[in-house]
């Protein structure tokens, strides 16, 4: 069946054959003889990573949980199981995934393929660091067990490999014990970008840390932010109001965005007003610790259904880069100033400190990562290409799971593990067989 598909940013949209196997056996039969195919999870990558050059293979049908060992926290699940399903099943039993991204509507396959990072990357690494083993299917139907001991090079290439090493059918991942579903959150106020970086760097011992930056503030307030630090709350830390809801209050259906908002709704003034109000409200709560439920803490945007429609019919791109720690202080002010000057509407500018990298093509390395949404409009692509050059010249790189537009040269400059990755693809006969719109665009 041929369909038009996009990622979460709704840009670009491309035609592809869509296969939807209900089991690993069906997947093997369907992909046999196909070229230009790629796996797809829940479509939460922003750009074109999960759109096959010719064929897209949705693995959402592989949705069974197979085994759990409460003594170690290792959980074995099929790749189409979502993070939301894991949290719903295991948080009430006192376990939470060791690493989570900013939405729970992602699959285990998608989290491994992008080696997603959470607010604890500086301490605990990426999702891939908490994968013990995976079951990988090559495009000819061969199934391989991969781990740090078995088929190790394929294992390291698959973590962060954006689906380009094979179809992840199942994986064993780590859950950590937690006593409650609450987080003890402390908010710090940073008046400038230098303060923001300093506060994040000083918080390396905090389990979770992240800064929300006012991407439109300029001059003396450039890069002002609210820095959020978090720790899992113990049972004893709960106050009277939380005790009956040890694992967090039941989810309320959040408001949705029922149709594409007209492009005029989001403009510099409306976003500046939102950012100002958000900053003031947050700053007023700075100081003492507060208890925050796991949903608003980890997945704040999941409360607004289909929020990607807020940017209108043309969609948006998310721009996320990482800079080496030693270069951030020079370059972040320049990049933030360019972004603020352009006045691109962005509710979300998030700065995180990242730790050591994982797989061959994993995005994170020791440094600072900035992520922000930008509405697709004339001039945006040229503006971002200029930012790409600055990021690449400083030894930084762009996140493939968020990317919809970088060129081959920026990509090649940023990923030194590429030569080994290409070599592995060649040796396993994957070139041409596995290809996405992303891989074709960046020459993989
Ligand atoms: C609101 C929001 C917040 C986010 N926050 C973060 C964040 O904090 N940190 C972060 O790192 N990311 C974040 N992301 C990005 C998201 O975590 C990744 O894009 C993730 O890969 C999406 O998973 P998915 O199941 O939707 O995969 P898809 O988008 O469907 O696919 C993503 C990639 O994984 C590959 N893939 C999917 N399933 C398989 C499989 N079974 N076998 C092989 N390859 C497969 C695809 O080929 C593709 O290359 C966020 C995304 C959103 C929408």
């Amino acid at each position: 069946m041929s369909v038009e598909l996009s990622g979460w940013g709704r840009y670009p949209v491309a035609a592809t054959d869509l296969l939807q196997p209900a089991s690993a056996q069906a997947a093997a039969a369907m992909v046999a003889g196909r070229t230009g195919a790629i796996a797809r999870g829940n479509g939460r990558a922003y750009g074109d990573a999960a759109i096959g050059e010719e064929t897209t293979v949705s693995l959402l049908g592989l949705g069974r949980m197979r085994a759990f060992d409460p003594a170690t926290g290792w959980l074995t699940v099929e790749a189409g199981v979502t993070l939301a399903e894991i949290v719903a099943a295991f948080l009430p039993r006192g376990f939470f995934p060791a690493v989570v991204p900013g939405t729970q509507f992602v699959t285990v396959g998608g989290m491994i393929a992008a080696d997603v990072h959470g607010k604890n990357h500086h301490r605990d690494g990426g999702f891939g660091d908490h994968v013990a083993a995976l079951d990988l299917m090559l495009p000819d139907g061969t199934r391989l067990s991969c781990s740090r001991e078995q088929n190790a090079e394929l294992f390291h290439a698959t973590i962060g490999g954006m689906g380009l090493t094979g179809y992840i059918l199942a994986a064993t991942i780590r859950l950590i014990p937690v006593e409650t579903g609450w987080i003890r959150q402390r908010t710090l106020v940073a008046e400038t970008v230098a303060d923001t970086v300093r506060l994040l760097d000083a918080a390396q011992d905090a389990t979770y840390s992240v800064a929300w930056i006012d991407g439109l503030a300029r001059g003396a307030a450039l890069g002002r932010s609210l820095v959020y630090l978090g720790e899992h709350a113990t049972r004893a830390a709960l106050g009277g109001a939380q005790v009956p809801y040890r694992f967090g209050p039941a989810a309320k259906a959040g408001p949705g965005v029922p149709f594409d908002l007209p492009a005029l709704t989001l403009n510099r003034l409306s976003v500046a007003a939102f950012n100002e109000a958000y900053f003031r409200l947050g700053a007023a709560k700075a100081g003492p610790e507060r208890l925050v439920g796991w949903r608003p803490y980890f997945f704040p945007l999941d409360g607004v259904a289909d929020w990607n429609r807020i940017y209108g019919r043309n969609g948006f791109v998310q721009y996320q880069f990482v800079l080496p720690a030693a270069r951030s202080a020079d370059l972040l002010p320049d990049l933030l100033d360019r972004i603020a000057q352009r006045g691109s509407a962005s509710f979300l500018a998030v700065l995180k400190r990242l730790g050591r990298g994982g797989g061959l093509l994993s995005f994170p390395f020791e440094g600072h990562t900035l992520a922000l949404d930008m509405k697709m409009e004339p001039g945006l692509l040229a503006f971002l290409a200029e930012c790409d050059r600055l990021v690449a010249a400083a030894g930084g790189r762009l996140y493939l799971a968020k990317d919809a537009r970088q060129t081959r040269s920026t990509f090649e400059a940023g990923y030194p593990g590429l030569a080994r990755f290409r070599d592995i693809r060649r040796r396993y006969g994957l070139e041409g067989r596995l290809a996405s719109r992303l891989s074709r665009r960046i020459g993989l």
Side-chain angles (χ1 to χ4, degrees), residues 272 297-298 310 324 338 345 375 408:
Y297 186 80
F298 290 109
I310 209 166
R338 284 167 191 259
K375 187 170 66 166
R408 179 174 178 160

Side-chain angles (χ1 to χ4, degrees), residues 8 39 41-45 49 59 102 107 110 113 116-117 162-163 168 352 399:
W8 183 246
N42 211 25
R44 253 46 180 198
L59 293 180
T107 64
V116 300
H117 54 273
M162 303 306 291
I168 301 163
K352 289 182 202 164
Y399 190 10

Side-chain angles (χ1 to χ4, degrees), residues 197-256:
V197 168
R198 199 163 27 76
L199 287 175
L200 283 176
D201 288 356
Q204 299 269 18
D205 289 342
T207 303
Y208 299 109
S209 68
V210 64
W212 173 86
I213 293 199
D214 179 351
L216 290 181
R218 297 196 57 199
L222 182 76
R224 70 174 177 173
S225 75
L226 301 170
V227 177
Y228 297 113
L229 309 182
E231 301 295 335
H232 288 282
T234 59
R235 210 169 173 164
L238 298 191
Q242 290 89 27
V243 170
Y245 305 106
R246 191 171 140 208
F247 291 110
K252 283 194 239 103

Side-chain angles (χ1 to χ4, degrees), residues 164-392:
L164 294 163
T165 58
Y167 303 89
I168 301 163
L169 299 177
T172 300
I173 64 169
R174 191 201 312 272
L175 307 186
I176 54 165
V178 292
E179 289 187 24
T180 76
W182 294 85
I183 299 293
R184 293 189 284 116
Q185 178 180 282
R186 209 148 64 85
T187 307
L188 313 173
V189 180
E191 301 293 348
T192 63
V193 61
D195 279 357
T196 303
V197 168
R198 199 163 27 76
L199 287 175
L200 283 176
D201 288 356
Q204 299 269 18
D205 289 342
T207 303
Y208 299 109
S209 68
V210 64
W212 173 86
I213 293 199
D214 179 351
L216 290 181
R218 297 196 57 199
L222 182 76
R224 70 174 177 173
S225 75
L226 301 170
V227 177
Y228 297 113
L229 309 182
E231 301 295 335
H232 288 282
T234 59
R235 210 169 173 164
L238 298 191
Q242 290 89 27
V243 170
Y245 305 106
R246 191 171 140 208
F247 291 110
K252 283 194 239 103
V257 179
F259 48 81
D260 297 331
L261 291 182
L264 282 178
T265 317
L266 274 191
N267 56 40
R268 192 186 166 92
L269 286 179
S270 62
V271 176
F274 170 87
N275 284 7
E276 181 66 32
Y278 184 92
F279 187 77
R280 279 170 188 268
L281 273 174
K285 291 180 187 159
E289 267 180 17
R290 300 170 58 240
L291 285 170
V292 181
W294 61 273
R295 278 193 193 81
Y297 186 80
F298 290 109
F299 312 119
L301 286 167
D302 287 353
V304 186
D306 297 329
W307 64 261
N308 55 342
R309 303 181 75 163
I310 209 166
Y311 291 93
R313 200 177 298 276
N314 296 335
F316 66 108
V317 295
Q318 180 158 103
Y319 193 57
Q320 179 163 8
F321 60 82
V322 54
L323 294 173
R327 298 301 312 276
S328 309
D330 303 342
L331 201 60
L332 271 175
D334 181 18
L335 283 162
L336 278 167
D337 193 43
R338 284 167 191 259
I339 290 162
Q341 232 182 80
R342 190 169 186 278
S344 295
S346 181
F347 287 117
L348 261 184
V350 171
L351 189 73
K352 289 182 202 164
R353 173 85 206 204
L354 296 178
R356 251 181 334 103
L360 275 184
L361 283 198
S362 289
F363 167 70
F365 62 64
E366 293 260 6
H368 300 93
T369 179
L370 181 72
L372 68 166
D373 293 340
M374 290 183 176
K375 187 170 66 166
M376 181 50 74
E377 55 194 2
L380 180 67
L381 295 179
F383 171 74
L384 292 179
E386 184 56 34
C387 296
D388 290 356
R389 281 191 279 278
L390 297 172
V391 169

Side-chain angles (χ1 to χ4, degrees), residues 81-212:
V81 169
T82 64
L83 187 55
E85 289 165 333
I86 294 172
V87 175
F90 288 96
L91 184 55
R93 294 177 164 91
F95 288 92
F96 195 74
V99 167
V100 299
T103 172
Q104 52 171 341
F105 301 125
V106 289
T107 64
V108 167
M111 287 190 288
I112 295 172
D115 189 15
V116 300
H117 54 273
K119 298 179 173 83
N120 55 345
H121 192 278
H122 59 285
R123 254 184 57 151
D124 301 320
F127 193 85
D129 287 312
H130 305 275
V131 174
L134 46 91
D135 181 7
L136 190 71
M137 183 177 79
L138 303 183
D140 64 1
T142 309
R143 282 168 73 157
L144 296 173
S145 298
C146 302
S147 67
R148 286 174 182 79
E149 293 77 39
Q150 221 182 342
N151 296 307
E153 64 170 6
L154 212 43
F155 180 80
H156 291 295
T158 300
I159 288 170
M162 303 306 291
L164 294 163
T165 58
Y167 303 89
I168 301 163
L169 299 177
T172 300
I173 64 169
R174 191 201 312 272
L175 307 186
I176 54 165
V178 292
E179 289 187 24
T180 76
W182 294 85
I183 299 293
R184 293 189 284 116
Q185 178 180 282
R186 209 148 64 85
T187 307
L188 313 173
V189 180
E191 301 293 348
T192 63
V193 61
D195 279 357
T196 303
V197 168
R198 199 163 27 76
L199 287 175
L200 283 176
D201 288 356
Q204 299 269 18
D205 289 342
T207 303
Y208 299 109
S209 68
V210 64
W212 173 86

